[in-house]
Amino acid sequence: AEAEAEAEAEAGAALAEGPPLEREREARAAAADAAEAAAAARAAAEGLETRLYDTAALATRLAEAEGRSGALASRLGEAEAAREAAVGRLAEGEERNEALRSSAAEAAATAEAEAERAEAERAAARGGAA
């Protein structure tokens, strides 16, 4: 529209300057230039509109991808929390296992000492009986 107005102004100025035939030619040339400029402006506007739609489509796809990414991050966080809980339970199990081993070693040592004392008492009893 701006290009058409400019071309009309140029055509008006051309009509006012020269002989009628020359002014008419210049006016027609200016009108043709204006039409060409208007067509180029329309094509550029269509190109921009296409880019706008493409950009909107990309923005939609990005939002969808971010949604999926957020869901994956949430599941990853849950998995990490579950892993940490499992590591904690494993550590507790290892502590209980170590305590059981220690208790078993103490019981074995006590049983061995009892067995040695009982054997010494039997040996003493045999020696006293003889």
Side-chain angles (χ1 to χ4, degrees), residues 4-124:
E4 288 179 25
E6 188 177 312
E8 286 178 19
E10 287 178 19
L15 285 175
E17 289 178 8
L21 188 56
E22 186 179 319
R23 287 189 304 225
E24 185 180 332
R25 268 193 299 239
E26 289 176 0
R28 287 179 195 259
D33 289 345
E36 188 177 314
R42 276 192 295 277
E46 289 172 3
L48 289 175
E49 185 178 4
T50 299
R51 286 187 201 157
L52 178 64
Y53 287 129
D54 291 348
T55 301
L58 287 174
T60 300
R61 289 186 7 219
L62 177 62
E64 291 169 354
E66 286 175 345
R68 287 190 300 269
S69 176
L72 288 174
S74 176
R75 289 197 318 217
L76 179 61
E78 291 169 2
E80 181 65 22
R83 185 192 69 78
E84 288 177 11
V87 167
R89 287 192 303 271
L90 178 62
E92 291 171 2
E94 287 176 350
E95 288 174 8
R96 283 194 301 270
N97 197 15
E98 185 59 35
L100 287 173
R101 282 187 193 134
S102 178
S103 294
E106 287 177 17
T110 301
E112 188 176 331
E114 290 285 330
E116 287 176 3
R117 190 179 55 188
E119 188 178 321
E121 285 178 3
R122 272 183 280 172

